[in-house]
Amino acid sequence: TLIVKNKNGGIYMKVLAMILAGGRGSRLDILSEKRVKPSVPFAGKFRIIDFALSNCSNSGIYDVALLTQYLPLSLNEHIGSGKPWDFDRRDSSITMLQPHEKLGGNSWYQGTADAIRQNIEFIKNKNPKYVLILSGDHIYKMNYQKMLEEHRASYADASIAVIEVPKKEASRFGIMDVDSTGRILEFEEKPEQPKSQLASMGIYIFNWKLLRKMLIADRKNNDSSHDFGKDIIPTMLQENRILHAYQFKGYWKD
């Protein structure tokens, strides 16, 4: 069934969380010299990836995959069976997905969208209604169920979590221009003259059937960088798809 109850009694449609956790993290210098950025220690025994994993668990989302690439060993050892986040139960799972050679020559992930596309068969086998795409190197506390409820209520094809940033920092982010209902009218990646202060947090909810079509079409585009912010989202806006901005109130750091 597509309707699932979580441990807190809330109800949500079948969701698969895909956490992008392959970033090298060159800006962290020696901290990420021997480990992937999401595996960098935080506050003693914790790691940066713990934020995304805890958010999933606390939101009642227990079907999770981590997409790794750069120096994944320390991350694999930290995750283990997923017991600290309750992912070792019979009705839950956490899967590590690393790039591998396939017929057709795919190997390294070429971008955020390409990473998801290379795992289409995995997602197809899970048969979700929605795919929640997260970054493994962000620090924040968020209830994804609230975002999902707003996504469904707005009849959106995709939803993007946004946060208001200071005007002087807006040019560092993907910036949304939205109407009074929260529908995204325009998206610009790191604009020199931002039209708003609503920045993308790199948290997306997609209706899976549509996303699958978008990813397959994007693969055939030789001019694409295969990135959600640079390619998939602008294409969806050009096709007049319904994109909704979910405004997050709270602390968040990339």
Side-chain angles (χ1 to χ4, degrees):
T1 179
L2 291 177
I3 296 182
V4 183
K5 278 193 174 183
N6 68 13
K7 65 180 181 181
N8 300 317
I11 295 178
Y12 64 98
M13 300 296 280
K14 182 74 182 289
V15 183
L16 173 63
M18 303 285 283
I19 304 177
L20 300 170
R24 181 176 178 182
S26 57
R27 286 177 296 176
L28 294 182
D29 199 34
I30 60 171
L31 292 177
S32 59
E33 196 173 73
K34 297 182 179 180
R35 56 171 61 87
V36 68
K37 183 162 53 170
S39 187
V40 169
F42 187 97
K45 67 179 180 179
F46 302 104
R47 307 292 178 102
I48 294 176
I49 189 67
D50 292 351
F51 287 91
L53 294 174
S54 295
N55 286 338
C56 285
S57 180
N58 293 330
S59 300
I61 297 173
Y62 291 105
D63 219 351
V64 176
L66 265 72
L67 284 72
T68 64
Q69 184 157 272
Y70 172 78
L71 293 177
L73 180 59
S74 64
L75 190 63
N76 292 354
E77 291 175 340
H78 178 68
I79 301 301
S81 66
K83 186 174 182 178
W85 307 275
D86 225 8
F87 293 133
D88 63 336
R89 306 182 312 168
R90 186 180 63 181
D91 58 346
S92 64
S93 69
I94 185 163
T95 307
M96 309 296 285
L97 298 173
Q98 294 175 229
H100 54 278
E101 189 173 357
K102 313 176 187 70
L103 288 174
N106 292 322
S107 55
W108 293 107
Y109 299 144
Q110 301 302 312
T112 54
D114 182 64
I116 301 298
R117 183 198 59 77
Q118 287 202 39
N119 291 286
I120 277 181
E121 286 303 312
F122 169 80
I123 302 173
K124 181 182 175 182
N125 291 337
K126 291 289 185 177
N127 192 30
K129 186 173 179 68
Y130 303 110
V131 174
L132 169 66
I133 297 174
L134 308 170
S135 295
D137 56 359
H138 294 176
I139 295 169
Y140 66 111
K141 179 182 179 181
M142 184 174 181
N143 185 345
Y144 302 130
Q145 278 208 55
K146 291 182 178 179
M147 183 177 175
L148 179 63
E149 288 164 8
E150 201 167 296
H151 172 80
R152 294 175 60 195
S154 62
Y155 299 98
D157 295 306
S159 289
I160 304 172
V162 299
I163 190 168
E164 190 168 337
V165 297
K167 195 170 185 179
K168 63 181 181 180
E169 294 184 19
S171 60
R172 294 176 44 228
F173 299 93
I175 297 296
M176 315 285 164
D177 187 20
V178 305
D179 66 14
S180 58
T181 68
R183 181 166 180 172
I184 298 170
L185 304 175
E186 191 176 352
F187 176 87
E188 289 185 278
E189 186 71 26
K190 299 181 180 179
E192 290 185 11
Q193 300 294 330
K195 294 183 179 180
S196 83
Q197 294 170 243
L198 292 179
S200 170
M201 298 169 64
I203 298 170
Y204 312 109
I205 292 177
F206 288 96
N207 298 342
W208 168 238
K209 288 184 179 179
L210 174 60
L211 177 61
R212 184 176 182 273
K213 292 178 182 177
M214 301 294 299
L215 293 173
I216 292 172
D218 179 72
R219 182 192 182 189
K220 299 173 183 177
N221 182 0
N222 293 328
D223 296 326
S224 174
S225 56
H226 311 300
D227 183 84
F228 282 109
K230 295 176 183 176
D231 305 288
I232 300 296
I233 292 168
T235 299
M236 293 182 78
L237 287 172
Q238 289 170 12
E239 295 180 358
N240 204 31
R241 303 287 186 181
I242 300 174
L243 271 66
H244 179 74
Y246 173 75
Q247 293 201 37
F248 175 70
K249 306 290 185 181
Y251 181 86
W252 171 83
K253 275 292 180 183
D254 175 359

